[in-house]
């Protein structure tokens, strides 16, 4: 390690006003569920680490960019992190607050203390030294971490996606927010609100708006799978997971869609057209998650939420749709999703693609070359992030133990030579 550090210092001139810190284990970028899970598993392997986080808290997406009524859409057994289950008294679908409390307890239990307000500006592998250089800024102060292993745990939802829509920025006079800024429908009571997007967030925001007596419309541009959250009292996702152990994916999709039709009926009359490819296969190939209904369909069927087609353009107080209709609108909620921000700071192109996701498909998406790892980019939710964390920690732990063993052997040999000379 000393030789590596010497090579690094010789490879380029250091800036005198930049603090440089050697990290004996991995640097983990991100203190969300993926980063916390990785840190806990790495600690369990006996390896030191540093977690850097751009926000001032753990799980900032959950704490600062989610609406009040949010609950986990999947049963808690599919969402718990490694080595620590949810408390027994938690409901099957924990609330936002309960999940945050669980994450804070998790960090405390495994003594994970992230370095907050550290925004990673760049990370690159130094070929001369064989080490990673991770440059961060905090309140104008630069710091550089030097490490052998780098774990990218910034997640699939690091940055909001705001689409370009004609007239939205330049002409529309109403309020425009992204779903990450939406908290409750209370402030929109009695107002005409257009929700752009029909994924789980779009559906749930529309439900919340309708519950607060907002005049709600939801844009559905393309096909979407809407499934009941439960079938005969059992989690639809859980049923799918069980069936996939024994049946091919196409048959699982066929069974799930048949059961969903029995529960929900046909949805095409309400403006919701299903994709040609099944929900589980679509999720596997594209990462697009099916909507798990928790009440929005009832509002759609009753007319409390109106389904409308794609947008042509906005004017001062209304929106023109592609079918020629015009709607008066007071506010717009963009439930248009999120994206990875990895390409903006990681200087690497072999493991990560331009869209910020690993090029290798699951289950090989967790490990790159030169000590680079990815946690939480499998498009398989918290269960996928947990699997990544376990794999990463074991991989680093194996190298750590082998090197510790070799160092101990060298010290013993040196000690014996000293005795012989004496």
């Amino acid at each position: 390690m000393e030789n590596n550090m010497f090579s690094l210092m010789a490879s380029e001139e250091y800036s005198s006003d930049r603090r440089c810190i050697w990290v004996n284990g991995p640097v983990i970028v991100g203190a969300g569920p993926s980063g916390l899970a990785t840190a806990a598993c790495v600690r369990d392997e006996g390896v030191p680490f540093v977690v850097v986080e751009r926000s001032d808290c753990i799980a900032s997406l959950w704490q600062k960019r989610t609406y009040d009524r949010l609950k986990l859409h999947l049963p808690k057994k599919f969402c718990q992190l490694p080595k620590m289950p949810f408390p027994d008294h938690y409901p099957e679908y924990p609330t936002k607050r309960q999940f945050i409390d669980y994450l804070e307890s998790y960090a405390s239990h495994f003594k994970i203390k992230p370095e907050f307000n550290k925004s990673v500006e760049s990370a690159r592998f130094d070929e001369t030294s064989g080490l990673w250089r991770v440059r961060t800024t905090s309140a104008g102060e630069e710091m550089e971490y030097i490490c052998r292993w780098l774990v990218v745990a910034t997640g699939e939802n690091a940055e909001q996606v705001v689409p370009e829509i004609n007239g939205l920025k330049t002409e529309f006079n109403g309020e425009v927010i992204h779903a990450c800024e939406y908290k409750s429908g209370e402030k929109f009571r009695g107002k005409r609100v257009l929700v752009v997007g029909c994924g789980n967030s779009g559906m749930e925001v529309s439900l919340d708006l309708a519950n607060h007596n907002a005049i709600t419309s939801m844009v559905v541009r393309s096909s979407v799978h809407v499934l009941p959250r439960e079938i005969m009292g059992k989690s639809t996702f859980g049923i799918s997971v069980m069936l996939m152990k024994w049946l091919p994916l196409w048959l699982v999709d066929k069974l799930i869609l048949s059961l969903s039709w029995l529960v929900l009926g046909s949805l095409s009359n309400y403006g919701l057209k299903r994709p040609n490819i099944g929900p589980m296969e679509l999720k596997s190939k594209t990462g697009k998650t099916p909507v798990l209904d928790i009440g929005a369909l009832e509002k759609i069927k009753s007319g409390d939420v109106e389904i409308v087609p794609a947008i042509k353009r906005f004017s001062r107080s209304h929106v023109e749709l592609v079918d020629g209709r015009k709607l008066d609108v007071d506010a717009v909620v963009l439930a248009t999703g999120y994206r990875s921000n990895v390409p903006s700071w990681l200087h690497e192109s072999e493991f990560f693609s331009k869209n910020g996701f690993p090029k290798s498909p699951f289950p090989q998406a967790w490990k790159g070359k030169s000590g680079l790892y990815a946690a939480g980019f499998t498009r398989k939710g918290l269960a996928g992030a947990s699997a990544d964390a376990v794999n990463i920690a074991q991989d680093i732990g194996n190298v750590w133990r082998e090197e510790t063993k070799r160092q101990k052997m060298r010290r013993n040999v040196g000690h014996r030579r000293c005795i012989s000379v004496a």
Side-chain angles (χ1 to χ4, degrees):
M1 293 183 184
E2 289 84 357
N3 290 336
N4 284 344
M5 285 298 291
F6 178 80
S7 299
L8 179 64
M9 289 185 285
S11 65
E12 73 175 64
E13 188 176 336
Y14 271 81
S15 173
S16 60
D17 60 352
R18 180 185 298 170
R19 295 174 59 194
C20 183
I21 296 176
W22 165 256
V23 179
N24 222 9
V27 168
I28 302 169
V29 183
S34 300
L36 296 178
T38 304
C41 293
V42 168
R43 183 174 295 285
D44 198 55
E45 294 285 336
V47 182
F49 60 86
V50 168
V51 179
V52 293
E53 165 59 43
R54 66 178 176 178
S55 186
D56 60 357
C57 63
I58 66 169
S60 62
L61 175 65
W62 283 84
Q63 300 216 50
K64 297 184 176 184
R65 294 186 286 163
T66 50
Y67 37 91
D68 295 340
R69 64 164 288 123
L70 179 64
K71 293 184 178 181
L72 294 180
H73 287 177
L74 303 182
K76 59 184 179 182
K77 69 177 181 179
F78 295 110
C79 301
Q80 62 193 22
L81 302 186
K83 306 181 186 299
M84 182 175 159
F86 282 102
D88 291 337
H89 68 273
Y90 270 33
E92 187 72 351
Y93 301 93
T95 65
K96 165 186 171 178
R97 183 67 256 172
Q98 287 172 325
F99 186 58
I100 292 169
D101 289 344
Y102 166 74
L103 294 178
E104 289 177 340
S105 298
Y106 190 88
S108 176
H109 178 78
F110 290 104
K111 298 180 175 59
I112 303 169
K113 298 178 180 179
E115 298 192 7
F116 293 118
N117 299 307
K118 297 285 180 69
S119 178
V120 176
E121 299 300 315
S122 69
R124 66 179 183 84
F125 185 69
D126 186 90
E127 296 285 353
T128 304
S129 64
L131 300 170
W132 284 94
R133 306 181 61 168
V134 183
R135 184 170 62 84
T136 68
T137 59
S138 178
E141 180 185 6
E142 287 192 359
M143 183 176 294
E144 191 166 49
Y145 297 86
I146 312 298
C147 57
R148 293 181 56 197
W149 300 291
L150 176 64
V151 181
V152 179
T154 47
E156 303 167 355
N157 303 318
E159 304 289 346
Q160 65 192 44
V161 172
V162 179
E164 291 290 334
I165 304 176
N166 286 339
L168 182 61
K169 292 182 179 180
T170 57
E171 297 184 39
F172 183 61
N173 288 338
E175 181 179 3
V176 180
I177 62 172
H178 191 272
C180 67
E181 302 167 282
Y182 180 92
K183 296 301 178 184
S184 168
E186 180 61 38
K187 65 177 288 188
F188 298 103
R189 190 179 295 274
K191 294 185 177 181
R192 297 161 299 190
V193 185
L194 181 70
V195 178
V196 182
C198 60
N200 279 297
S201 293
M203 286 283 188
E204 194 155 358
V205 167
S206 297
L207 170 62
D208 191 57
L209 286 165
N211 285 339
H212 285 89
N213 295 321
I215 303 167
T216 309
S217 301
M218 180 170 59
V219 174
V220 179
R221 294 188 306 164
S222 57
S223 57
V224 59
H225 279 298
V226 182
L227 307 176
R229 185 169 69 172
E230 293 185 343
I231 298 174
M232 295 179 289
K234 301 293 184 181
S235 160
T236 302
F237 179 78
I239 294 172
S240 301
V241 171
M242 179 189 68
L243 291 175
M244 283 190 289
K245 293 179 180 179
W246 311 103
L247 302 174
L249 199 57
W250 68 268
L251 183 54
V252 173
D253 275 338
K254 191 170 184 178
L255 291 171
I256 290 297
L257 288 176
S258 297
L259 291 171
S260 296
W261 186 88
L262 292 174
V263 176
L264 303 177
S266 175
L267 303 181
S268 59
N269 293 335
Y270 302 99
L272 299 172
K273 181 183 177 182
R274 293 196 183 278
N276 293 326
I277 188 172
M280 297 299 115
E281 187 178 356
L282 188 66
K283 171 70 173 173
S284 176
K285 288 184 175 180
T286 69
K288 187 175 181 180
T289 303
V291 173
L292 296 177
D293 178 55
I294 58 171
L297 274 181
E298 182 181 343
K299 296 295 184 181
I300 292 170
K301 290 178 179 180
S302 69
D304 292 328
V305 173
E306 181 186 8
I307 300 297
V308 300
I311 297 167
K312 184 176 181 180
R313 67 173 293 108
F314 279 91
S315 61
R316 295 185 62 179
S317 61
H318 67 260
V319 60
E320 183 181 352
L321 306 173
V322 292
D323 63 1
R325 281 186 293 163
K326 291 185 178 181
L327 301 178
D328 292 330
V329 179
D330 298 312
V332 175
V333 180
L334 298 172
T336 46
Y338 302 86
R339 61 177 173 82
S340 165
N341 70 354
V342 174
S344 68
W345 57 270
L346 181 63
H347 298 279
E348 189 274 344
S349 59
E350 187 174 344
F351 182 42
F352 277 91
S353 60
K354 291 182 179 180
N355 68 356
F357 284 79
K359 294 178 180 179
S360 301
F362 179 85
Q364 284 80 35
W366 59 275
K367 184 178 181 179
K369 294 181 179 179
S370 305
L372 178 62
Y373 299 93
F377 291 88
T378 61
R379 293 189 172 98
K380 294 186 178 295
L382 293 166
S386 295
D388 288 341
V390 171
N391 288 331
I392 291 167
Q394 289 178 348
D395 200 56
I396 293 174
N398 288 338
V399 176
W400 181 270
R401 282 188 294 273
E402 185 62 31
E403 291 193 350
T404 301
K405 182 179 178 181
R406 286 201 297 265
Q407 289 174 5
K408 186 176 180 180
M409 291 176 62
R410 285 197 295 267
R411 286 196 297 268
N412 289 339
V413 170
H415 180 64
R416 287 196 296 271
R417 286 175 178 171
C418 289
I419 294 175
S420 299
V421 171

